[in-house]
Each structure stands twice: as C-alpha cells, then as structure tokens.
C-alpha cells in the first residue's frame, strides 16, 4: 500500500508546491513579520490578513521525536522503524518531518538538522531533515 | 455571583458488560441503549422523563436516541467536539441545562465496538472529519508516518521526559497501578491478569517511548449517566452524587499539537483551576481521581496540570504506589482504559459515582467524600469534574 499524501488543496497545496521546487517556505505576516505554520488565513498575533510565502533558512533543531516501531498505517509497514520529529526552525515555527540518514539510536532532542526534500509523487514532495554538523 | 456549584447531581449510572473477542454482537446504538436502560433503572426514571441528550461525537444523534427510547419531549440536545473529554465536559453543560431549567433530566450516553468494529487508529487516519484537527493531521502528520494517537502523544511524552527527567519506569508505574486495581474489579478485562515491571519493560515498543503496555485497551462496551438538578434529585431513589465544580478547556492551538508556545499546556491546565475554584476545594482535599488514561504519560501530565503536584513532578508522584489504593491519590480504581475497558471516559464517571456511593466493593476508597474525574480528547482537550457525596456535606 502506498503512503498517504496530503490533500493538495488551498494553502496546503501552495505549501507543498514550494517543496516541489526545493524550497521550504512558511507564511509570514506582512504587518508584524511573524512566521506561522500550519497555514492559516490570518495572523493570530496581530490579526492581519496580509501575508507572503517567505523562505525558511531550512535550519532547525529537534524539539521532540518518536521512533515508530510498529506501523499503525499499512502505508508505513515497510518503513519501520522510522523517526518522526518535530523540528523547531530558526524562524520559530515547528514542523513535523522524518529524519533520514540518522540511526534512530543517535537521535537526540536539540540535535541540529537541515531540510532536504524527497519526491513522493508527480504532485507531492515532502520536506525531510538530515543531521547538520553545526546550526 | 452565578455558580454551578452543587446545582446538579448525577442520579443514575449504567454500564454494559465489556469484551474484546468476539465482540458485543450488537450495533453501537443498541449497545449504548442497553447502558441507557441500566442508567434509567438506577435513577428510577423512565425514558419519558429524559428531555435532554448529549451523545458522544460521531456515535449517534440525539434524535435517534430519543426515537429509540421514546423521549417524546426532547428539548435539549448537544454534542461536544472534545473526543474523550466530551463525557466529563458534558457534566458541566448538563449542569448548566438543568440549573437554568433548559432541561429536567439530561442523558449522557457513550459506547462503541472499539474492538470488533472500526479501530481508532483506522478512523484517525481515514476520516478527516473525525476530530477537529483531522485535516491538519491528514496533511501535516500522516504523510510523515504519524497516523494515530499513541504516535502523536509519544511526541508530548518524549519532550516531557527530556525536560523533567521522567522515566520509562514511571510510565510503567501508571500501567501497573491500573492493572493492580483491575485485579479488584471482576468487571475489568484484565481481572486475573496481573502485570510486573518486567512485563511492562519487555512489552514491544509501539512508538517510543510508548510500549504496548502504555496503551489503553480497545474494547466493546457502553456506559451512560443522567444529570438532574439538585432540587429534583431529592425526589429520586438513586443516591445522588453532587457536581461541586466542572470545567473544560483546550490547548492553544487545539487543532495542531506542535506549534504551542507552552508545549505542555493542555485543556486541563485552565480547566482544573476553574473547577476547583467553583467547588471551593483544593486538590489536597480529594480522596481519589479517575483520570482519562488513554496512555500512561497522559495520566502523569494530567496529575500535574490538575494541580495534584507541580509540572515535572508527576513521574515521582506515580511511583511507589502513589496512585494505588492506599496511596496518596488512588487513580482509576476500576482499572481505567488501560486495564478495565475503553468506555470513552464514561467508565471513569461511573466509577467515581460508585466510589462516592460506597458501592465499589473490594476496591472501595475508605470514607470517600470528594472525587475528581477527568477527560482527555483529540490533541489535548481536557475536562474535569469535582464530585462529592450528596446530602452529606
């Protein structure tokens, strides 16, 4: 069974379209410059409806993680064990992603990581994270 | 000042048998109606008396309950989208309804074929309407391999372990306490199946730090309770349990787990102080707590956020029998979701009422006067009620 992919509609489609171009972008408020994720229609900090897709540095640290040992969705049956981590990016937003190229036993909270991209289908590319030597 | 303190009582409770294989053999509605019939009998009411119904999210409409039961005068119906926090949150809303005369008797049913029917992990992954954050989970969690509650919540537990030094053995202490209590409850699925710390540590990893024995049971079963004004409760035969205080709350944002400024803030963080203030008691005065135990860490987190100890001290609180009968705060005296059955949080309300009536048999908390019951749902929604023995304060 293939992996489940995001529904490519609305702001979510825009977020993942940037990933397909190899760029991690988040909404940034045009008034108060606050970054936000997941996509929302207005800025919860200042109430502005004005925003742009602003490019992330792609640098962050592991905020928390889990190692999935038993697949609870058939699409991941061949992937276990795999690491899913919440990454806190330099811009302040947090995003869930898989950590690749790091043995699960070496994963630590606070570990510096950097974004990369993995194409899943013609339409969808997902951000992934790799261990970075320095922040 | 307007207050709901002692405005309403729980006057009836009902619960079906619980099972795994081969399943209940009933539809989810029929299963719930059996529990409702038991609750009506317990209260000394008939279905005609019920004029308010608060069904659990996605488990039947009030109209269907009313038509099946013969509630000809339904005038109050509401469903709270709080997942497993809904039944305890319903205590507050039902209290509001009966205190204002919007209803006389409010029925809160809940039950499912959680084992023989669709499993929670399948629902969460496939139904984007199942919970308020489901579309976000579909687009931003599921593609990365997180499809179900133990995986989402493992991320919360792992961060707590890092920040406060909470250990796997402390998660295990929660599982073992629930299992010990189940040995005193003949109606618990894990009755006759004791567990040791080695059993716990040897159980297979599901989503670290959660092992199999950190996870609640998937079961078939149903329960129900009935809320009535304190004034009307005096005329009923059931031994009423008074709602001293009740509140619900949500984390912020409630529909995304990961972008919370205070990562450990859950619904209970704001709900508990509100409920204790309403009740006019402190956590130290509580004789027992029935805490929604979907997974072990959620018990530790709720003990902290409810104010039974400070944040970060929950791991130590649950060790050395701290939450077992005879300990400083007996938790889930029926065995909870972990070792009794998954009754969507209604089982916790039923057990709290039994304890306060003095009907808990071998597992009775001696001289129980004040009890707490909590609910947890979705991405950390919370609810809490503080209950006390009726007419004896």
């Amino acid at each position: 069974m293939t992996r489940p992919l995001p529904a490519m509609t609305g702001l979510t489609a825009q977020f993942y379209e940037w990933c397909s171009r190899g760029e991690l972008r988040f909404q940034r408020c045009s008034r108060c410059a606050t970054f936000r994720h997941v996509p929302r229609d207005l800025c919860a900090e200042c109430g502005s409806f004005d925003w742009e897709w602003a490019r992330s540095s792609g640098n962050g640290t592991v905020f928390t993680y889990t190692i999935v040992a038993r697949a609870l969705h058939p699409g991941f049956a061949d992937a276990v064990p795999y690491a899913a981590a919440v990454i806190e990016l330099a811009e302040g937003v947090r995003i869930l992603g898989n950590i690749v190229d790091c043995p699960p036993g070496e994963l630590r909270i606070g570990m510096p990581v950097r974004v990369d991209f993995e194409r899943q289908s013609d339409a969808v590319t997902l951000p992934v994270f790799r261990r970075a030597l320095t922040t | 000042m307007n207050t709901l303190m002692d405005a309403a009582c729980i006057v009836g409770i009902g619960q079906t048998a619980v099972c795994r294989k081969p399943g209940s053999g009933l539809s989810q509605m029929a299963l719930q109606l059996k529990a409702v019939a038991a609750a009506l009998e317990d209260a000394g009411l008939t279905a005609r008396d019920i004029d308010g119904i608060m069904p659990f999210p996605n488990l039947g409409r009030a109209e269907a309950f009313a038509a099946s039961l013969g509630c000809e005068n339904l005038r109050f119906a509401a469903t709270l989208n709080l997942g497993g926090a809904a039944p305890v949150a319903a205590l507050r809303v039902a209290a509001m309804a009966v205190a204002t005369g919007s209803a006389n008797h409010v029925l809160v049913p809940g039950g499912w074929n959680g084992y023989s029917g669709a499993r929670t992990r399948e629902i969460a992954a496939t139904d984007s309407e199942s919970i308020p954050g489901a579309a976000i989970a579909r687009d931003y969690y599921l593609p990365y391999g997180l499809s179900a509650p133990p995986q989402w919540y493992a991320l919360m537990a792992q961060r707590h372990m890092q920040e406060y030094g909470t250990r796997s053995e402390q998660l295990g202490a929660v599982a073992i306490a629930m299992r010990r209590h189940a040995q005193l409850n003949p109606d618990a699925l894990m009755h006759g199946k004791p567990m040791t710390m080695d059993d716990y540590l040897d159980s297979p990893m599901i989503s670290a730090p959660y092992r199999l024995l950190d996870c609640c049971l998937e079961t078939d079963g149903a329960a129900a309770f009935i809320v009535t004004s304190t004034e009307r409760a005096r005329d009923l035969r059931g031994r009423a349990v008074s709602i001293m205080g009740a509140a619900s709350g949500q984390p912020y944002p409630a529909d995304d787990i990961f972008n919370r400024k205070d990562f450990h803030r859950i619904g209970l963080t704001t709900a508990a102080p509100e409920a204790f203030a309403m009740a006019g008691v402190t956590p130290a005065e509580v004789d027992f707590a029935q805490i929604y135990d979907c997974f072990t860490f959620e018990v530790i987190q709720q003990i902290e956020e409810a104010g039974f100890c400070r944040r970060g001290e929950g791991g130590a609180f649950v060790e050395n029998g701290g939450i077992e009968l005879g300990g400083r705060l007996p938790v889930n005296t029926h065995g909870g979701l972990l070792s009794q059955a998954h009754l969507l949080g209604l089982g916790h309300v039923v057990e709290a009422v039994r304890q306060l009536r003095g009907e808990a048999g071998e597992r009775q908390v001696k001289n129980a006067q004040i009890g707490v019951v909590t609910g947890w749902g979705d991405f950390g929604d919370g609810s809490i009620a503080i209950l006390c023995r009726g007419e004896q304060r």
Side-chain angles (χ1 to χ4, degrees):
Chain A
M1 183 171 176
T2 56
R3 288 195 189 189
L5 294 174
M8 293 294 277
T9 58
L11 295 174
T12 290
Q14 295 178 30
F15 173 82
Y16 282 109
E17 280 159 9
W18 280 112
C19 291
S20 293
R21 284 176 248 173
E23 292 188 17
L24 184 63
R25 289 190 178 232
F26 297 106
Q27 288 175 296
R28 182 176 61 195
C29 176
S30 300
R31 185 195 288 170
C32 74
T34 302
F35 278 85
R36 63 181 186 259
H37 184 71
V38 300
R40 312 253 183 204
D41 287 317
L42 74 164
C43 177
E45 293 296 318
C46 77
S48 174
F49 282 88
D50 298 325
W51 56 271
E52 61 185 338
W53 287 108
R55 190 163 185 180
S56 164
S57 65
N59 294 320
T61 56
V62 174
F63 182 80
T64 185
Y65 67 93
T66 183
I67 309 293
V68 177
R70 177 176 157 190
L72 297 179
H73 184 287
F76 294 90
D78 298 332
V80 290
Y82 59 90
V86 178
I87 306 303
E88 188 165 85
L89 286 147
E91 293 77 22
V93 297
R94 298 189 195 125
I95 182 172
L96 185 73
N98 296 117
I99 306 284
V100 295
D101 291 349
C102 176
E106 293 179 22
L107 192 55
R108 295 284 181 272
I109 288 175
M111 176 183 285
V113 293
R114 177 158 178 75
V115 75
D116 197 356
F117 298 92
E118 281 190 358
R119 188 173 169 278
Q120 299 290 320
S121 72
D122 287 344
V124 178
T125 293
L126 300 180
V128 296
F129 292 88
R130 297 181 189 279
R131 190 159 30 168
L133 294 177
T134 54
T135 33
Chain B
M1 193 179 101
N2 290 328
T3 178
L4 285 174
M5 180 185 177
D6 294 330
C9 294
I10 303 170
V11 295
I13 52 172
Q15 187 175 306
T16 67
V18 296
C19 65
R20 284 165 67 87
K21 282 176 188 165
S24 71
L26 296 171
S27 72
Q28 293 191 144
M29 178 56 81
L31 194 58
Q32 293 181 87
L33 292 169
K34 280 193 144 190
V36 171
L40 287 168
E41 168 73 20
D42 183 57
L45 290 168
T46 70
R48 298 279 181 288
D49 298 315
I50 300 294
D51 55 359
I53 303 180
M54 298 190 66
F56 193 92
N58 308 322
L59 289 173
R61 304 266 178 163
E63 291 82 350
F65 280 99
S68 297
L69 289 162
C71 309
E72 294 184 9
N73 299 304
L74 189 70
R75 56 195 182 111
F76 177 78
T79 288
L80 306 175
N81 283 314
L82 296 166
V88 172
L91 283 172
R92 175 174 69 162
V93 176
M96 289 163 64
V98 299
T100 56
S102 302
N104 293 335
H105 304 289
V106 177
L107 167 68
V108 183
W112 60 345
N113 290 325
Y115 182 87
S116 66
R119 299 290 186 88
T120 297
R121 59 175 177 257
E122 296 162 359
I123 299 166
T126 56
D127 181 1
S128 65
E129 299 297 320
S130 61
I131 61 172
I136 289 172
R138 176 196 63 203
D139 295 338
Y140 297 98
Y141 305 171
L142 183 54
Y144 308 98
L146 300 193
S147 59
Q151 301 168 332
W152 306 329
Y153 302 163
L155 292 156
M156 301 168 81
Q158 187 74 47
R159 180 73 194 181
H160 192 277
M161 295 170 91
Q162 169 81 13
E163 279 188 50
Y164 300 109
T166 312
R167 292 177 289 106
S168 286
E169 288 79 4
Q170 294 170 330
L171 305 187
V174 173
I176 288 166
M178 305 306 96
R179 190 63 70 92
R180 287 203 173 131
H181 294 160
Q183 304 317 304
L184 304 174
N185 179 6
D187 295 330
L189 273 171
M190 291 297 160
H191 182 72
K193 296 175 182 169
M195 179 207 299
T196 66
M197 185 61 83
D198 284 342
D199 294 334
Y200 167 80
L201 291 170
D202 290 343
S203 68
M205 200 61 89
I206 301 296
S207 188
Y210 282 149
R211 295 169 163 83
L212 179 66
L213 292 178
D214 288 298
C215 302
C216 58
L217 300 166
E218 295 174 294
T219 52
D220 292 8
F225 53 86
I226 297 165
V227 174
T228 298
S229 69
T230 299
E231 198 180 340
R232 286 178 190 277
R234 294 195 183 100
D235 300 331
L236 297 176
R237 72 158 180 243
R239 276 148 299 172
V241 161
S242 185
I243 302 169
M244 299 175 78
S248 62
Q250 298 198 318
Y252 178 82
D255 61 358
D256 174 29
I257 299 171
F258 307 126
N259 279 282
R260 295 174 181 165
K261 283 177 186 164
D262 178 353
F263 192 68
H264 302 296
R265 179 187 147 188
I266 52 177
L268 202 57
T269 310
T270 50
E274 182 185 338
F276 278 109
M278 187 190 295
V281 298
T282 66
E285 294 172 78
V286 169
D287 296 310
F288 64 82
Q290 316 299 356
I291 295 179
Y292 194 93
D293 52 328
C294 42
F295 304 92
T296 54
F297 169 69
E298 278 59 44
V299 175
I300 291 173
Q301 185 171 26
Q302 289 177 82
I303 283 171
E304 293 178 356
E305 300 303 310
F308 292 110
C309 65
R310 284 197 292 260
R311 188 180 285 180
E313 296 177 352
F317 190 96
V318 304
E319 283 188 303
N320 302 315
I323 59 169
E324 294 176 21
L325 281 162
R328 68 177 113 173
L329 181 72
V331 169
N332 295 348
T333 48
H334 56 322
L337 307 179
L338 285 161
S339 278
Q340 193 246 352
H342 198 316
L343 296 174
L344 303 158
L346 287 98
H348 290 61
V349 176
V350 167
E351 176 68 4
V353 170
R354 283 181 176 152
Q355 286 285 352
L356 292 169
R357 286 177 176 177
E359 294 174 352
E362 269 193 276
R363 61 183 192 276
Q364 179 67 45
V365 175
K366 286 200 182 80
N367 195 29
Q369 299 289 325
I370 297 176
V372 157
V373 57
T374 76
W376 164 291
D378 298 345
F379 292 165
D381 297 343
S383 52
I384 179 170
I386 297 148
L387 308 174
C388 75
R389 282 183 104 105
E391 305 293 318
Q392 288 185 23
R393 292 173 60 216

